[in-house]
Amino acid sequence: MRATFRLLASVRPTARYLEPGQPTGITGLPTHNAPRSMLLYLYNATLEKLKAVPEHSVYRQSVEAVTKQRLAHVESVVPPGYKEWAAKAKEILKQEPEKFRTTNTATNEMLGAAKVERDGQVFVVRQLPSEVDMRYQQWDGEVNDGPELEGSRTQEEMEWHVKTQFERAEALEQKEVEWEPEPQLTAEQIAELENKIGAGLIEEVIQVAEGELKLTDTMIESKVWEPLEEPAAEGQWVAFERTA
């Protein structure tokens, strides 16, 4: 049951919204700021990765079934103003596709917002800078060569400096994309979605989806669908069967 002290924000006069970052009633699990778009991305990414697993694999069949069922539940709940937002988002992607590359070709750095496809669906993944306390950063072994040498530069050095600064400015300009996040679900819609999925708070559902996506890589690497190198002894698993 959802904690009754979750903070509700009156962002719009006709509906109530959960305040991102506020307590959910579970220690260390704050209210998520965009649960619907996060789940859509995680579920589509999982389905795409599962294509690397043979269709006869019981692992793929079970995970696909659960993922598709929960994906359908998430898609069935649409936030207010979604159609208008989606039309605007498609127009921005169409007009300025160069600002949504995964990396900048000049500096090979990750851009602030990148267009990616997962299982046929298009998503814009935003790279938000994380705050790092420099007091906890360890020395990386780089040698300090002292201050920059003074004096006149060679023509080659000046050309390299100008090129580097230009590429850096271009990369920063491309990072500045005016992208409006997907509209929020109302508190009532989130409660409805939680009841449909039946696996706790929506934040807990997100944690499970994140774990499943990571586990898929491990299962593919281990090739769990292949026979054991040494076949199990006859009757080894009988005690674990439902009819035992």
Side-chain angles (χ1 to χ4, degrees):
M1 184 175 180
R2 180 170 295 276
T4 56
F5 57 84
R6 270 220 195 189
L7 184 60
L8 296 175
S10 300
V11 180
R12 301 172 190 171
T14 57
R16 295 192 303 173
Y17 295 82
L18 297 178
E19 185 70 25
Q22 293 300 315
T24 59
I26 300 178
T27 302
L29 191 65
T31 300
H32 200 279
N33 63 330
R36 183 179 185 274
S37 56
M38 174 60 77
L39 285 173
L40 288 175
Y41 176 81
L42 291 172
Y43 288 150
N44 280 283
T46 300
L47 291 174
E48 184 179 75
K49 285 189 176 182
L50 285 174
K51 292 178 181 178
V53 181
E55 293 184 1
H56 64 77
S57 170
V58 177
Y59 166 72
R60 172 173 173 172
Q61 293 171 3
S62 59
V63 176
E64 264 189 348
V66 174
T67 303
K68 287 181 177 179
Q69 182 190 50
R70 294 190 175 185
L71 177 60
H73 288 323
V74 176
E75 290 176 336
S76 67
V77 181
V78 181
Y82 176 80
K83 282 188 176 181
E84 295 79 3
W85 171 85
K88 183 180 178 181
K90 289 180 180 178
E91 189 64 25
I92 294 175
L93 287 171
K94 183 179 179 180
Q95 291 180 353
E96 301 179 296
E98 72 282 351
K99 291 189 176 181
F100 294 92
R101 293 197 302 267
T102 306
T103 57
N104 182 271
T105 55
T107 61
N108 201 31
E109 294 178 340
M110 197 74 176
L111 295 177
K115 173 185 172 183
V116 296
E117 289 192 17
R118 294 290 182 268
D119 198 41
Q121 300 295 320
V122 177
F123 296 91
V124 172
V125 180
R126 302 177 65 192
Q127 298 294 327
L128 300 178
S130 57
E131 296 183 2
V132 180
D133 192 333
M134 62 181 299
R135 294 175 299 176
Y136 297 100
Q137 291 182 338
Q138 296 184 356
W139 179 52
D140 59 4
E142 182 181 0
V143 179
N144 186 0
D145 295 326
E148 187 177 352
L149 297 177
E150 298 181 0
S152 59
R153 299 175 181 267
T154 64
Q155 184 66 27
E156 183 180 351
E157 288 176 332
M158 287 190 292
E159 290 177 356
W160 177 86
H161 181 74
V162 171
K163 180 183 178 183
T164 303
Q165 293 302 318
F166 176 78
E167 291 176 348
R168 180 73 62 177
E170 184 183 36
L172 290 174
E173 182 181 351
Q174 290 181 353
K175 285 184 181 181
E176 297 176 0
V177 180
E178 293 185 4
W179 184 262
E180 183 179 346
E182 180 181 295
Q184 290 184 345
L185 292 172
T186 65
E188 291 76 13
Q189 286 179 314
I190 290 180
E192 175 190 350
L193 184 56
E194 289 173 343
N195 290 331
K196 283 184 176 181
I197 295 177
L201 300 183
I202 199 70
E203 289 79 11
E204 294 179 281
V205 176
I206 291 174
Q207 282 190 331
V208 172
E210 289 173 336
E212 191 66 64
L213 181 59
K214 292 180 180 177
L215 179 61
T216 305
D217 290 327
T218 303
M219 301 296 269
I220 292 174
E221 183 182 354
S222 302
K223 298 181 179 180
V224 295
W225 57 88
E226 293 185 350
L228 297 174
E229 293 183 0
E230 296 183 9
E234 185 177 353
Q236 180 173 340
W237 307 113
V238 172
F240 298 97
E241 293 179 359
R242 187 182 294 271
T243 56

